Amino acid sequence: MRSPLTEKANLLLLGLAFILIGLNLRPILASVGPLLPSIQKDISLSFTLASMLTLLPVLAMGLGCFAGFSIAKRLGFNTVMTGSLLLLIAATAMRFWAIDANWLICSALLAGVAIALIQTIMPAMIKLNFGERVPLMMGLYVTAIMGGAALAASSAPFIGMNLGWRAGLGHWTWLGIFALVLWLLIKHKAALPSQAKEQALQLNFWRFRRSWLLAIFFALGTSCYVCVLAWLAPYAVELGYSQTQSGLVLGFLTSMEVIAGLVFPWLASKSTDRRAIIALLCLLQLIGFMGLALAPQVSLFLWAGLAGLGISGIFPLGLIVTMDHQQNPMLAGKLTAFVQGVGYTIAAISPWIAGLIRDNFNSFNSAWLLLGGISLMAWILSWQFNPQGYARQYQVARCVS
């Protein structure tokens, strides 16, 4: 029989493994933007084609979410997590030897599949293993995702300046190996879903209007995130910032995202009604994007910081509101997978649209204005997230569970 101290130690190590895994889910995306000028000098890569480096992994993340639970059911949650980490490491390592745009795009697609599988099963695994500590662990996991983006955006230009852009894209392989080693050491301690319970909780979320509403809200927030990840640094370069400075601008935005990922979920936990916090986040996004488009000379760091606070607060709030709709961990995980699947699939086209705007109008200003409009749409949609009405949205789920 294990002592309480041993159980706490195992839980601590498992939590650390989940945090390290979260740190690995964005560097392959966030490291591209700051290094794009160097990449474009070396290989033929238009802004529209460069958008594929963000579009394809995000699209794969969306499509992969739909299959994630089925794959995990057949192969096992631990096996899927291990295999996904190996695939992500391999995709990142490919960039050390990138010879053309096709090579980069292929690595991005493989990484997207790996990230999709991890993000699909992680909410359910956190709920199953952390009990009352779920809000804290989810907050730390989401913050780790944003932290990985901040680390990559800030560090990639310095690595690229000294070792070349391929190293700036590929050195995140070592972070993945570190996470994989810890996961292999602790994975046998993780609680796994019960096959019997899972079979009793079948529910087709496609049938419910609320599922689609949650998915569209998540898609709007994610569209803003992937666009700034892809294009903020190139925009800074066009305004006269150096490549290193542009990486710092993106790094500052993602640093604000780390802060928002901790603060706003904590504020939202004070009430079951999250709408006031969501309204504040949408307002921050709107001001940030309007500033980027209309007054970048005032302070690019200011506008990026405001946009970052809004973007990164909405990301965890979108997941939290989704999970509010289901009390059962497995149903909550499956609903979250559906919302992420639809949301990422829709959001995937946003960096391509922004790149197309840049190629045709020689400016990102219209793209920032479009994202401001998306922020307003997200706020309008959020009016419907009244917790008093959640029980009516999934009547079948209430009966099943």
Side-chain angles (χ1 to χ4, degrees), residues 296-335:
Q297 71 282 358
V298 172
S299 174
L300 204 59
F301 281 91
L302 171 63
W303 306 132
L306 291 174
L309 287 172
I311 290 168
S312 210
I314 284 182
F315 178 72
L317 260 293
L319 295 178
I320 289 170
V321 168
T322 298
M323 297 173 83
D324 284 344
H325 283 73
Q326 296 292 340
Q327 297 302 314
N328 182 280
M330 288 304 296
L331 287 177
K334 289 182 176 181
L335 177 59

Side-chain angles (χ1 to χ4, degrees), residues 146 217 220-222 224-225 228 252-261 264-265 277-289 302-318 371 375 378:
M146 303 304 176
F217 178 78
L220 295 175
T222 304
C224 295
Y225 176 67
V228 297
F252 179 71
L253 178 142
T254 50
S255 297
M256 292 299 100
E257 291 178 341
V258 172
I259 294 172
F264 287 108
I277 299 297
I278 292 175
L280 174 60
L281 294 170
C282 291
L283 178 62
L284 289 171
Q285 273 191 186
L286 180 61
I287 295 172
F289 287 130
L302 171 63
W303 306 132
L306 291 174
L309 287 172
I311 290 168
S312 210
I314 284 182
F315 178 72
L317 260 293
L371 293 178
S375 303

Side-chain angles (χ1 to χ4, degrees), residues 128-391:
L128 285 165
N129 284 277
F130 286 89
E132 295 179 356
R133 300 183 182 91
V134 166
L136 173 62
M137 192 61 235
M138 278 298 295
L140 291 173
Y141 165 66
V142 170
T143 301
I145 293 176
M146 303 304 176
L151 179 64
S154 302
S155 304
F158 293 97
I159 298 173
M161 190 166 50
N162 292 288
L163 300 174
W165 63 264
R166 290 176 179 84
L169 297 178
H171 265 299
W172 308 105
T173 302
W174 316 119
L175 183 63
I177 291 173
F178 188 28
L180 176 63
V181 170
L182 181 57
W183 169 249
L184 291 175
L185 291 174
I186 195 66
K187 69 174 185 175
H188 62 284
K189 307 290 185 182
L192 300 176
S194 166
Q195 294 288 341
K197 288 182 180 179
E198 183 180 348
Q199 302 222 344
L201 294 171
Q202 298 299 326
L203 184 65
N204 185 0
F205 287 110
W206 292 79
R207 296 168 44 206
F208 296 91
R209 177 181 177 275
R210 178 50 60 96
S211 300
W212 289 97
L213 179 64
L214 291 166
I216 292 171
F217 178 78
F218 186 81
L220 295 175
T222 304
S223 294
C224 295
Y225 176 67
V226 295
C227 273
V228 297
L229 211 59
W231 300 125
L232 181 61
Y235 179 61
V237 170
E238 290 188 350
L239 294 176
Y241 287 68
S242 69
Q243 191 165 315
T244 301
Q245 289 172 328
S246 70
L248 291 175
V249 172
L250 182 56
F252 179 71
L253 178 142
T254 50
S255 297
M256 292 299 100
E257 291 178 341
V258 172
I259 294 172
L262 289 172
V263 172
F264 287 108
W266 174 76
L267 289 175
S269 69
K270 303 298 181 181
S271 170
T272 56
D273 192 340
R274 327 286 189 185
R275 289 176 294 177
I277 299 297
I278 292 175
L280 174 60
L281 294 170
C282 291
L283 178 62
L284 289 171
Q285 273 191 186
L286 180 61
I287 295 172
F289 287 130
M290 292 299 102
L292 287 174
L294 304 176
Q297 71 282 358
V298 172
S299 174
L300 204 59
F301 281 91
L302 171 63
W303 306 132
L306 291 174
L309 287 172
I311 290 168
S312 210
I314 284 182
F315 178 72
L317 260 293
L319 295 178
I320 289 170
V321 168
T322 298
M323 297 173 83
D324 284 344
H325 283 73
Q326 296 292 340
Q327 297 302 314
N328 182 280
M330 288 304 296
L331 287 177
K334 289 182 176 181
L335 177 59
T336 304
F338 172 84
V339 167
Q340 290 184 97
V342 175
Y344 281 123
T345 302
I346 295 173
I349 65 170
S350 61
W352 175 76
I353 292 173
L356 200 61
I357 289 172
R358 168 58 184 80
D359 279 339
N360 285 278
F361 296 98
N362 293 316
S363 172
F364 284 112
N365 289 348
S366 297
W368 303 133
L369 291 173
L370 180 60
L371 293 178
I374 285 176
S375 303
L376 190 59
M377 289 173 59
W379 175 50
I380 293 171
L381 277 182
S382 72
W383 292 350
Q384 300 187 54
F385 298 150
N386 184 345
Q388 294 181 355
Y390 288 171

